[in-house]
């Protein structure tokens, strides 16, 4: 272990930081809608099973590689494989993927920040206008918002692991929980809120099919920040005496709890403010829900608590989602920053400067792909559809490469690094893990059926996204 390797200052700090990376826009909005449209309580049950039986072992694989190597993903693959070239490819994928995900995530975070400002200054009626979103994402002011958001990210990451990431997580995550619970309590007191709770929680097993099962697995995998190199990077900052399996369980529990509680906010709110809501009309897109549907729902609240009260509730919601977005993008962007620091031996400040500039350029170009610049708006075509630059980034790096990265880490841990080393690393600081049923399950699952499932998800995604053919549906 290198003497100057940064570390988290406490177990709680690591758990909050890792949970912050996992809790994002998908948890706050996408998950509740996906659950409602795909069987309610039945989807929740399938999701929870996937989190703990498939995603948790993959998380342990990533964390163990990070802690043992004390390296970024590229350095970890290189060190533990003794420099074998084909494993360097896996390392590069684990660096490029989070950077490109940070590009589109920054664009969405900037939109959230803009809506937060407009809610605070009392423009809720403007946000509820169906035409506002398209005008907003093509407005020059967007780039001013981007500068502010990038400044926040820079300040957090400049503080390093203990003074930046950990401190921010210790403030933002508890605040996020408090705001979320407060909003849930408020919404559940409204008329017809229980109709939303019923739609959300009552199982409808008739809606469960292979496509829904696949969607639940994808939601769970993406929600826990797997395949992005985050858990490898954060694992490299964990003390060698820490209980990694115990911490991983807490991260999974926290992430699942936030997603579940968010459902108790979104769906009761929708049904309370609009009792005639048809769940079939709810958008599949988190973006659609946040920026086009929910502002109208919040504006309807003025009949109960007045326009100012509705604006306050909307502001709290957008602040909640903004915090979730910031904690996620900080974790995502730390991966390439850590890699540049490790591999090129540059300071954190220089790494942030270089990659920050590149991030702003790429995000700026992606921001023009909604009509501002035709070339980026109609960037490429596949599966019979015209795709913007923004769409391509999401399709390739978020939907396609993540399960592939998960597959590669499983194969690496079991068949290159070997089971004995994997188990020995997880046994450190976790006396109750050694020889337990959980250890045997993780050891078996990572080496057998989990890679098969991730391979099938990857193949199905490629067939569907780029060729328009659903192998599982």
């Amino acid at each position: 272990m290198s003497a100057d390797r940064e570390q988290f200052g406490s177990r709680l700090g690591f758990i909050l930081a890792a949970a912050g990376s996992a809790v994002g826009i998908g948890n706050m909005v996408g998950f509740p809608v996906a659950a409602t449209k795909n069987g309610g309580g039945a989807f929740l049950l399938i999701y929870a099973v996937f989190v703990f039986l498939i995603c948790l072992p993959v998380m342990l694989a990533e964390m163990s590689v990070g802690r043992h190597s004390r390296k970024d993903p590229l350095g970890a693959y290189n060190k533990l494989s003794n420099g074998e070239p084909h494993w360097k490819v896996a390392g590069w994928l684990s660096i490029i993927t989070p950077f490109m995900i940070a590009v589109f995530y920054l664009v969405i975070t900037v939109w959230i920040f803009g809506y937060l400002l407009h809610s605070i200054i009392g423009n809720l009626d403007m946000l509820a206008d169906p035409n506002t979103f398209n005008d907003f994402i093509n407005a020059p002011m967007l780039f001013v918002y981007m500068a502010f958001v990038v400044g926040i990210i820079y300040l957090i990451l400049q503080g390093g692991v203990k003074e930046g990431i950990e401190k921010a997580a210790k403030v933002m995550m508890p605040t996020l929980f408090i705001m979320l619970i407060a909003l849930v309590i408020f919404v559940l007191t409204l008329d017809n809120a229980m109709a939303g709770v019923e739609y959300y929680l009552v199982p409808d097993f008739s809606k469960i099919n292979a496509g829904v099962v696949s969607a639940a697995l994808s939601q769970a995998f993406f929600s826990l920040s797997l395949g992005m190199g985050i858990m490898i990077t954060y694992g490299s900052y964990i003390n060698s005496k820490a209980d990694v399996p115990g911490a991983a369980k807490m991260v999974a529990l926290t992430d699942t709890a936030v997603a579940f509680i968010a459902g108790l906010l979104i769906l009761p709110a929708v049904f309370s403010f609009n009792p005639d809501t048809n769940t079939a009309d709810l958008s599949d897109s988190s973006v659609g829900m946040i920026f086009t549907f929910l502002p109208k729902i919040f504006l309807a609240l003025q009949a109960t608590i007045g326009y100012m009260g509705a604006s306050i509730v909307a502001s709290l919601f957008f602040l909640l989602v903004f915090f979730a977005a910031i904690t996620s993008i900080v974790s995502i962007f730390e991966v390439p920053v850590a890699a540049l620091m490790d591999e090129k031996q540059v300071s954190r400040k220089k790494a942030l400067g270089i990659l920050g500039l590149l991030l702003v350029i790429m995000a700026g170009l992606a921001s023009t792909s909604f009509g501002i610049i035709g070339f980026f708006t109609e960037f490429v075509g596949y599966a019979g559809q015209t795709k913007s630059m923004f769409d391509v980034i999401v399709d390739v790096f978020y939907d396609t490469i993540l399960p592939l990265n998960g597959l590669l880490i499983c194969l690496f841990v079991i068949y290159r690094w070997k089971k004995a080393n994997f188990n020995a690393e997880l046994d450190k600081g976790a006396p109750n893990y050694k020889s337990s049923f959980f250890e045997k399950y993780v050891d078996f699952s990572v080496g057998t059926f989990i890679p098969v499932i991730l391979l099938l998800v990857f193949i199905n995604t490629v067939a569907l996204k780029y060729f328009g053919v659903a192998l599982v549906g």
Side-chain angles (χ1 to χ4, degrees), residues 398-409:
Y398 193 77
D399 288 334
T400 308
I401 301 297
L402 287 189
L404 175 61
N405 285 344
L407 168 63
L408 292 174
I409 191 69

Side-chain angles (χ1 to χ4, degrees), residues 1 5 28 62 67 70 85 171 189 192 224 238 316 335 365 416 418 429 457:
M1 167 179 150
R5 185 68 177 176
M28 301 304 302
E62 294 192 0
R67 185 170 72 168
R70 295 293 173 190
V171 173
T189 64
N192 206 49
L224 288 170
I238 304 175
L316 284 174
V335 178
L365 293 177
R416 180 58 187 87
K418 302 300 182 183
V457 170

Side-chain angles (χ1 to χ4, degrees), residues 140-373:
M141 193 64 184
L142 207 65
F143 297 97
V144 177
Y145 298 152
M146 184 177 292
F148 188 84
V149 172
V150 169
I152 293 174
I153 297 167
Y154 180 88
L155 287 175
I156 293 173
L157 288 177
Q158 178 58 37
V161 175
K162 188 174 180 179
E163 296 300 316
I165 297 172
E166 184 173 345
K167 272 192 173 180
K170 283 184 173 179
V171 173
M172 286 187 168
M173 289 306 293
T175 305
L176 185 152
F177 282 126
I178 291 169
M179 286 192 297
L180 180 58
I181 291 172
L183 281 173
V184 167
I185 292 172
F186 168 73
V187 166
L188 291 180
T189 64
L190 301 175
D191 293 339
N192 206 49
M194 288 303 110
V197 175
E198 181 180 346
Y199 262 102
Y200 180 51
L201 296 182
V202 175
D204 182 358
F205 290 98
S206 67
K207 291 184 178 180
I208 302 302
N209 55 37
V212 171
V213 171
S214 178
L217 174 58
S218 296
Q219 178 76 34
F221 195 83
F222 301 155
S223 177
L224 288 170
S225 299
L226 302 178
M228 300 186 201
I230 294 173
M231 295 306 170
I232 296 177
T233 303
Y234 275 16
S236 73
Y237 301 143
I238 304 175
N239 188 287
S240 60
K241 297 180 181 178
D243 180 352
V244 170
K249 289 177 185 177
M250 287 302 300
V251 173
L253 279 171
T254 303
D255 177 74
T256 304
V258 169
F260 173 76
I261 296 172
L264 294 178
L265 167 65
I266 300 297
L267 273 304
V270 168
F271 280 86
S272 177
F273 305 152
N274 185 6
D276 298 323
T277 295
N278 183 344
T279 55
D281 297 331
L282 295 179
S283 171
D284 285 314
S285 165
S286 299
V287 173
M289 280 292 291
I290 294 173
F291 301 109
T292 63
F293 191 77
L294 288 176
K296 292 188 291 186
I297 297 299
F298 289 130
L299 184 62
L301 187 60
Q302 66 180 326
T304 307
I305 58 176
Y307 186 81
M308 180 175 289
S311 296
I312 291 172
V313 172
S315 299
L316 284 174
F317 172 77
F318 283 114
L319 182 62
L320 180 72
V321 180
F322 181 66
F323 272 18
I326 284 291
T327 55
S328 290
I329 198 170
V330 161
S331 304
I332 295 167
F333 198 52
E334 172 66 10
V335 178
V337 169
L340 186 56
M341 290 168 60
D342 286 350
E343 303 306 314
K344 297 299 182 182
Q345 301 300 305
V346 301
S347 66
R348 176 173 284 273
K349 185 175 182 180
K350 186 174 181 179
L352 277 170
I354 295 170
L355 291 173
L357 178 61
L358 187 58
L359 176 67
V360 169
I361 292 172
M362 293 293 293
L365 293 177
S367 295
T368 68
S369 63
F370 301 96
I372 297 177
I373 298 178

